[in-house]
Amino acid sequence: MAILRIALPVPKRQLFDYLLVGQAPEVGVRVRVPFAGRQLIGVVFEVSEHSEWPLEKLKAVSSVLDSQPVLNPVQMQLCQWLAQYYKHPVGEVVHTVLPVALRKGGSNQARPQQMWTLTDEGHKQDIDTLSRAPKQQNALRQLAKQPLEKTMAAKTLGAGVIKALADKNLVQLVSHEVSHDASSKLSFTQQIKLQSKPQANVQQAIAISCIEANLGRYGSFLLEGVTGSGKTEVYLQAIESVLLQGQQVLVLVPEIGLTPQTVQRFQQRFGIKVGVLHSALSDNERLQVWQQSAAGQLGLVIGTRSAIFTPMLVPGLLIVDEEHDSSYKQQDGLRYHARDLAVMRARSENIPLVLGTATPALETLNNALSAKYQHLLLSERAGNAQLAHQHVLDIRQQVLQFGVAKGMLDRIDQHLQQGSQVMLFINRRGYAPALLCHQCGHVEQCQRCNKPFTLHLSLHRLQCHHCSEARAIPRCCSQCQATELVSMGVGTEQLEQGLSGYFPQYRTVRIDSDSTRGKQKLDTMLNKINNNEYQILIGTQILSKGHHFPNVTLVVILDVDGALYSADYRAAEHLAQLVTQLAGRAGRADKPGEMWLQSHEPGHPLLQDLINNGYAHFARYALLERQQANLPPYSYQALFRAQAATARLAHDFLQQISHLFSQQSGIVCIGPIPALMEKRQGQYRMQLLLQSQQRSVIQQAISQVMPQIENLGNSSKIRWSVDIDPQEFS
Ligand code: ADP
Ligand code: ZN
C-alpha cells in the first residue's frame, strides 16, 4: 500500500493524499481519483508511506492512467517552481502545462509516425522512364534516398504527386513506432539537409560563436539588433550547430509572428519537419507535437507562449524571439511570463537561452547591463538598409481630416506618386470610439463596463471593446430622443474610409483584429501587400509585429499622446518599442523611409530622446527614471485583483489583505484603488499593489499570508487573483 500525493486541478494550494493498493507508480504519472463527488484527473507528485491524515480518512485512487510519466523530471521541477513563484495552486499549474488531450485523460501512447517509402515495385522501377512526369520522377528519387514523414512529403513533394505514385503502387505508407527510448531517438538527425547560408558578418559571427561556445551549459544572451540586422540568421546558424550535435531546439515567437513564412524559413534551411504550436491547433495536433518532441523525433519546435512547456528528449537550445512582446505574459489563470520561465527552464536543462529583439524590455536590458546576461549586439542592417528617419509633427491648432493633418496628406500623396507604399498606424479599431448625441451630449455606454460603445459601421452596430456586448446602432438618443447622433474620434475603419475617398486612385487595406479574423486571412493580406496590390496600409499593433514591408517609405503614427499621459508606467516603454519596430519594418537599402509621429506635445522629452537618439539611448534613460522612481526592475511588484458585484465588496476584501501585509516588514502596500477599467461585464474591479526592494521579501511575505487570504470570509462573493510581476493594470 502506498500513499500518493497528487496535484489536482482545484483552486487549492496543496497536494492531496490518496491510497493505492499495489505497486506504486512513478512520479509524473496521471491518476483518476474521487474528489468532492466527482472524478478528477491529477498527476502524482510524491509517493510516500506516511500521511498527515489518518489512513481511514484517505480515499483510494480509482485508476492509474499511464505506465510512463507524462511529465519528465525537469517539467515536474518547473511546475513546482511555477506554483511557488506565481503563488498558484500546483494542480492548476499542471493543468495549464499539460496539453488538453492529456488533461482530459486521453492516451499518451503516441500514434506511430506515417512515412512514405518505396514499394518493392518502386525499387525495381527505372526512374528515368518517368521523365514525362518530372515531379513524380523527382519525388521517387527523393523517397529512394530516404523515407519521408507524411505531412512533410505532402508539403515538399506535393500531395497529388504522392498520390499518383501510390496509385501506381510505387510508394507506400509505413508506420514508425514512436519510442521514448534514447537509442532509437532523433530520427530528425538523418533527415537534416542543409541549405546554403549567407556568410555571417563580423557581429553575427561573434554572436554565433558566443552562443556556440556555451552549448551544453546554462547561459542567457540578449541578442539586440535592429530589425533586418540578421538576428534570425544568427538563430539559424546556432540552431544548425545544435541540430548537428543531435540536440533539439525550441523557439518561441509572439502570437502574431507565427506565420507560415516564419515556419518555412526554418523548415527550408534544415530540410526537417518543424513542430508548430499555436492557438488554432486542434487538441490532437497539439498532443502530437508534444509527443514527438518528447520522443526526440522533432529537431525543432516553434510556438507561441505555451510552447515553453513542450518537453524535449535531448534539449540543446532555447530561443525567445521578440522577447519584449507582451503576448509572452499570460493574463489570466496562471499568470506566468514565458520569457522568465524560459530562463528557469534553460537553467534546469543546462542549455543556453537566446533572447532576441530590436527593442529589449527594460527588465531584460537591465539584466544585460548588469552582466546577468551576455549582451550581443547587431548594430547594422544586413544589406545596408537604412532605418526610417523619425520626426514629430506638431498638430496643435491643425485641421485634422479623419485624424490626419493636412500637411501629412500632402506628404502621403508624394510618396504614393513615387510608387511607394505608405502605412498609417492607429491604436483603435472600429469607426469611432464613441457615439454622441449632438443635442444633449449623452454618450452611448455599455452598462456592464461603463465605457463608451465603439461604433462599427461595417458591422452596423455598437460594440463594447471590453466585453464584446453589441447592439444595433440607435436612430435616436436614448436620453432625449433627438436624432442627431455624431461619432467622436477616429478608428481604423473611419481612417480607411477617409483615405480611400481622398486617394481614390490607390488601393487601401485595413489590418486589425476585425479584418484579419479567420485562418490564413492575415497571411493572404500580407502577401498581397508585398505584391504591391495595396498602396495604403492602415492598421493597429499587428502591423508592428514580425512582418517586413520593404516598399513602405512613409509611416505615420496618428496619435502618440495617449501613451505619454498613461497611468501605466510601462506605456512609454511600449510606445518606444512600437515606434522603433514600425520604423524598422519599413524601407530598404535603395528606398530609405521616413516616419512621422503626430503629437500635441512635440517637445515631450521622451519623444525627443527617442527620435533623436534611438531606442537604445531612450531605454537607458527610461531605466534611470525607473530607478529614481523605485519602479521595476529596481523593485518587485505583485498585484492583487478583486472583482465583485459592488465596489465596496471588492474594496473591503483587498483592505483585509492589506491589513495582513501590514505586519510584514519591507513591503509597501498601495491601495486598494480602482483598476484602470473600474467596471467590466457588470463587475467592479479593485487592485492592491505590493512593492518591495527585494524579490525574496515579497515572495516570502505572500507565501506566509496566502493561507490567511484563502480563509478570508466573504470570498465566495469575490473573484480574486494574484499577479506576480504584473505587466498591466487595466
Ligand atoms: P532580423 O531577424 O534581425 O530581422 P534577418 O535574419 O531576417 O534579420 O535578416 C534580414 C535579411 O538579411 C534576410 O533576408 C537575411 O537573409 C539577410 N541576411 C542576414 N544576414 C546576412 C548576411 N550575413 N549576409 C547576407 N544577408 C544576410
Ligand atoms: Zn462592456
Side-chain angles (χ1 to χ4, degrees):
M1 184 132 73
I3 289 156
L4 306 185
R5 300 226 159 82
I6 297 166
L8 290 175
V10 294
K12 288 264 196 253
R13 290 166 178 78
Q14 64 177 85
L15 296 171
F16 295 87
D17 290 8
Y18 282 84
L19 280 177
L20 181 78
V21 182
Q23 176 83 33
E26 276 182 70
V27 165
V29 153
R30 287 173 303 162
V31 290
R32 203 185 292 273
V33 297
F35 185 91
R38 293 176 295 162
Q39 289 282 320
L40 291 181
I41 291 169
V43 169
V44 178
F45 262 66
E46 291 167 26
V47 179
S48 171
E49 290 168 3
H50 309 285
S51 173
E52 293 171 29
W53 303 89
L55 284 189
E56 61 274 15
K57 291 229 167 168
L58 296 186
K59 293 196 176 128
V61 170
S62 310
S63 57
V64 177
L65 300 185
D66 304 300
S67 53
Q68 298 282 327
V70 291
L71 294 175
N72 66 33
V74 166
Q75 288 176 298
M76 295 285 285
Q77 200 186 335
L78 288 177
C79 283
Q80 265 153 341
W81 179 80
L82 282 164
Q84 238 288 314
Y85 186 76
Y86 291 105
K87 312 298 173 199
H88 203 71
V90 66
E92 292 191 342
V93 169
V94 169
H95 204 68
T96 310
V97 167
L98 286 179
V100 175
L102 294 182
R103 280 179 221 166
K104 289 183 180 161
S107 163
N108 194 33
Q109 291 295 317
R111 277 194 265 163
Q113 238 185 349
Q114 304 272 313
M115 312 280 279
W116 283 110
T117 61
L118 300 199
T119 56
D120 288 344
E121 221 157 306
H123 281 297
K124 283 182 220 145
Q125 172 82 32
D126 178 3
I127 294 181
D128 292 333
T129 59
L130 286 173
S131 61
R132 283 171 56 205
K135 282 188 179 159
Q136 290 180 28
Q137 193 179 30
N138 171 48
L140 204 60
R141 209 165 263 144
Q142 297 287 330
L143 293 176
K145 271 187 243 158
Q146 57 178 255
L148 201 54
E149 194 275 331
K150 192 174 156 197
T151 49
M152 227 4 226
K155 235 177 246 163
T156 56
L157 304 176
V161 176
I162 301 275
K163 183 167 183 311
L165 290 175
D167 288 346
K168 293 181 192 162
N169 196 24
L170 298 176
V171 298
Q172 62 186 350
L173 268 184
V174 296
S175 292
H176 262 240
E177 289 300 330
V178 175
S179 157
H180 287 259
D181 165 18
S183 62
S184 66
K185 69 187 180 187
L186 309 178
S187 45
F188 70 84
T189 49
Q190 292 128 42
Q191 291 162 15
I192 296 175
K193 246 192 294 151
L194 297 176
Q195 291 294 308
S196 65
K197 60 187 173 202
Q199 173 83 34
N201 64 31
V202 173
Q203 287 183 317
Q204 285 174 320
I206 292 172
I208 295 161
S209 62
C210 279
I211 299 165
E212 284 177 350
N214 214 80
L215 295 184
R217 59 194 156 95
Y218 167 73
S220 284
F221 298 87
L222 167 58
L223 177 61
E224 183 179 359
V226 289
T227 329
S229 60
K231 290 185 295 297
T232 311
E233 189 53 44
V234 170
Y235 304 153
L236 287 166
Q237 300 204 16
I239 291 171
E240 180 181 321
S241 306
V242 177
L243 291 177
L244 290 177
Q245 290 189 12
Q247 294 179 325
Q248 297 166 281
V249 182
L250 176 61
V251 181
L252 297 193
V253 293
E255 254 150 50
I256 302 166
L258 189 49
T259 60
Q261 283 99 314
T262 314
V263 178
Q264 235 170 40
R265 186 162 172 198
F266 285 84
Q267 201 140 265
Q268 278 171 358
R269 184 63 162 267
F270 305 115
I272 56 174
K273 182 182 168 190
V274 173
V276 183
L277 287 168
H278 53 77
S279 49
L281 293 183
S282 72
D283 294 351
N284 235 328
E285 290 170 314
R286 275 188 165 271
L287 179 63
Q288 277 193 17
V289 174
W290 167 284
Q291 289 172 331
Q292 289 171 1
S293 179
Q297 290 181 336
L298 291 171
L300 184 54
V301 174
I302 304 180
T304 52
R305 183 178 61 230
S306 65
I308 187 61
F309 301 128
T310 314
M312 290 186 274
L313 186 68
V314 268
L317 176 64
L318 277 180
I319 294 171
V320 179
D321 189 28
E322 308 291 356
E323 65 83 29
H324 65 281
D325 194 88
S326 56
S327 73
Y328 287 125
K329 168 86 175 173
Q330 169 127 327
Q331 294 295 3
D332 56 14
L334 171 61
R335 295 164 186 264
Y336 67 97
H337 202 301
R339 184 218 303 142
D340 297 339
L341 183 58
V343 175
M344 290 312 294
R345 181 160 180 188
R347 272 182 206 281
S348 303
E349 311 251 36
N350 246 324
I351 56 176
L353 164 68
V354 179
L355 306 170
T357 179
T359 53
L362 293 187
E363 281 85 355
T364 307
L365 181 64
N366 187 48
N367 282 330
L369 295 178
S370 63
K372 264 174 88 178
Y373 300 168
Q374 273 194 65
H375 202 163
L376 306 171
L377 282 171
L378 304 179
S379 52
E380 266 149 45
R381 282 177 100 168
N384 280 329
Q386 303 283 306
L387 277 183
H389 283 285
Q390 298 166 25
H391 317 267
V392 181
L393 180 66
D394 183 357
I395 52 168
R396 282 174 297 185
Q397 294 156 24
Q398 290 231 32
V399 181
L400 302 182
Q401 288 186 62
F402 32 87
V404 188
K406 178 73 182 68
M408 195 46 65
L409 285 170
D410 297 340
R411 221 177 181 89
I412 292 173
D413 195 24
Q414 288 167 12
H415 280 262
L416 290 172
Q417 283 189 29
Q418 287 163 10
S420 299
Q421 292 171 319
V422 299
M423 179 156 96
L424 293 98
F425 176 90
I426 183 169
N427 212 4
R428 273 183 306 241
R429 45 197 183 87
Y431 186 85
L435 186 65
L436 176 99
C437 173
H438 194 53
Q439 199 68 36
C440 75
H442 172 73
V443 173
E444 288 294 327
Q445 280 200 345
C446 169
Q447 297 302 316
R448 304 164 73 202
C449 304
N450 290 2
K451 291 274 173 187
F453 276 119
T454 299
L455 177 62
H456 284 257
L457 280 186
S458 62
L459 301 168
H460 304 293
R461 62 184 179 193
L462 298 180
Q463 198 170 45
C464 173
H465 281 188
H466 307 287
C467 74
S468 77
E469 171 100 349
R471 64 177 55 171
I473 299 170
R475 281 170 215 282
C476 60
C477 172
S478 60
Q479 296 290 305
C480 75
Q481 320 309 323
T483 52
E484 201 180 340
L485 300 180
V486 292
S487 62
M488 248 184 36
V490 178
T492 46
E493 218 181 89
Q494 186 176 159
L495 183 59
E496 179 187 24
Q497 203 185 67
L499 285 170
S500 47
Y502 196 94
F503 296 110
Q505 65 276 44
Y506 300 105
R507 290 196 60 190
T508 305
V509 63
R510 171 166 59 93
I511 301 173
D512 57 24
S513 55
D514 296 323
S515 68
T516 55
R517 216 158 272 156
K519 254 190 180 170
Q520 312 274 313
K521 204 158 167 204
L522 174 62
D523 218 53
T524 316
M525 280 179 164
L526 293 173
N527 281 333
K528 286 187 172 174
I529 291 172
N530 279 339
N531 290 336
N532 255 325
E533 289 179 43
Y534 298 109
Q535 293 77 44
I536 303 174
L537 329 177
I538 293 161
T540 57
Q541 293 285 3
I542 299 183
L543 283 180
S544 71
K545 299 192 178 178
H547 317 296
H548 194 221
F549 302 102
N551 294 320
V552 168
T553 53
L554 174 63
V555 180
V556 187
I557 303 185
L558 288 198
D559 178 14
V560 299
D561 295 345
L564 299 179
Y565 300 105
S566 171
D568 180 348
Y569 64 84
R570 283 198 176 83
E573 176 188 351
H574 292 157
L575 174 69
Q577 288 166 344
L578 172 80
V579 167
T580 312
Q581 292 285 342
L582 283 175
R585 303 207 179 271
R588 56 173 192 234
D590 56 329
K591 270 193 171 187
E594 59 178 323
M595 173 172 207
W596 287 87
L597 316 179
Q598 294 195 161
S599 171
H600 285 95
E601 186 161 348
H604 197 289
L606 173 132
L607 281 185
Q608 287 300 329
D609 188 32
L610 179 64
I611 63 165
N612 292 321
N613 306 322
Y615 184 85
H617 189 276
F618 157 84
R620 283 157 178 81
Y621 179 68
L623 270 176
L624 208 65
E625 269 191 5
R626 294 267 186 99
Q627 187 166 28
Q628 280 158 3
N630 202 19
L631 287 167
Y634 300 98
S635 64
Y636 300 89
Q637 294 184 332
L639 187 71
F640 280 89
R641 292 187 175 87
Q643 60 178 55
T646 69
R648 164 97 0 226
L649 271 172
H651 176 275
D652 290 353
F653 181 78
L654 291 178
Q655 189 72 56
Q656 292 177 63
I657 296 183
S658 168
H659 280 310
L660 293 174
F661 281 105
S662 62
Q663 279 112 44
Q664 305 274 345
S665 62
I667 300 249
V668 183
C669 270
I670 303 156
I673 54 168
L676 292 182
M677 271 289 294
E678 254 187 275
K679 190 182 169 198
R680 185 172 196 162
Q681 301 189 347
Q683 294 273 306
Y684 288 85
R685 310 163 78 240
M686 304 287 289
Q687 302 179 340
L688 177 71
L689 184 66
L690 307 187
Q691 191 170 307
S692 170
Q693 286 315 105
Q694 280 173 304
R695 202 194 290 277
S696 58
V697 168
I698 204 164
Q699 280 285 329
Q700 275 167 23
I702 300 175
S703 291
Q704 225 168 60
V705 168
M706 197 54 105
Q708 295 170 64
I709 297 176
E710 286 188 307
N711 290 325
L712 283 180
N714 229 348
S715 57
S716 61
K717 291 189 180 147
I718 315 257
R719 272 189 55 196
W720 67 275
S721 62
V722 57
D723 188 352
I724 308 291
D725 307 329
Q727 295 290 311
E728 57 153 19
F729 302 88
S730 60

